[in-house]
Amino acid sequence: MTRAEVMAQADAMFARMDSNHDGKVTPEERRAAMDAMRAERRGDGSGRGGRGMGRGGDRELTLEQTRQMAATRFDRLDTNKDGRLDAAELAAARPGSRPPRDDDAPPSPTQ
């Protein structure tokens, strides 16, 4: 995944959340969008309130703020600084994951 792809996703997410198209996403708009996305993933049409929405969960967000958060996250995850997020970098970003260690490698055939 490239930086451009991440930024395009941030733009699309902002557009989806900004239901009244005023250039700001309120906490209520954000909650409604998250509920709708949860319902789509479950496929049951129900949308329940969920956990907090991270930074900015209690304030309005602009597109520029949303893009800045996406860029900051991309930069943090792109540990090898090659401008792409590879499978290992994405896996390391998942909750409960840890970076691979040398002793995680399978034993060589001679051992």
Side-chain angles (χ1 to χ4, degrees), residues 4 8 12 19 21-22 26 28 30-31 35 43-47 52 54 56-57 59 65 67 73 83 87 96 106 110:
S19 60
H21 311 290
D22 66 352
T26 64
E28 293 78 20
R30 199 166 28 259
R31 265 186 231 98
D35 287 348
D44 64 3
S46 68
R59 62 183 167 89
Q65 290 167 320
R67 289 179 61 82
R73 179 177 165 94
T110 59

Side-chain angles (χ1 to χ4, degrees), residues 2 22 28 34 37-38 41 51 75 94 96 101 103:
T2 67
D22 66 352
E28 293 78 20
M34 293 299 147
M37 284 183 268
R38 278 188 213 95
R41 280 194 302 266
R51 301 176 356 206
D75 291 342
R94 288 189 193 105
R101 298 184 322 217
D103 61 347

Side-chain angles (χ1 to χ4, degrees), residues 37-108:
M37 284 183 268
R38 278 188 213 95
E40 284 175 20
R41 280 194 302 266
R42 283 193 306 271
D44 64 3
S46 68
R48 295 182 296 168
R51 301 176 356 206
M53 288 159 279
R55 296 186 338 200
D58 61 349
R59 62 183 167 89
E60 290 181 342
L61 289 176
T62 64
L63 176 58
E64 184 56 36
Q65 290 167 320
T66 302
R67 289 179 61 82
Q68 182 58 49
M69 286 188 293
T72 298
R73 179 177 165 94
F74 180 90
D75 291 342
R76 188 180 75 245
L77 297 178
D78 185 18
T79 56
N80 64 5
K81 305 301 178 203
D82 68 351
R84 299 183 69 81
L85 299 178
D86 60 31
E89 289 167 326
L90 292 171
R94 288 189 193 105
S97 67
R98 62 177 172 77
R101 298 184 322 217
D102 289 338
D103 61 347
D104 285 342
S108 67

Side-chain angles (χ1 to χ4, degrees), residues 10-19 21 25 63:
D11 292 348
M13 178 62 74
F14 184 87
R16 183 173 183 173
M17 290 190 297
D18 186 15
S19 60
H21 311 290
V25 174
L63 176 58

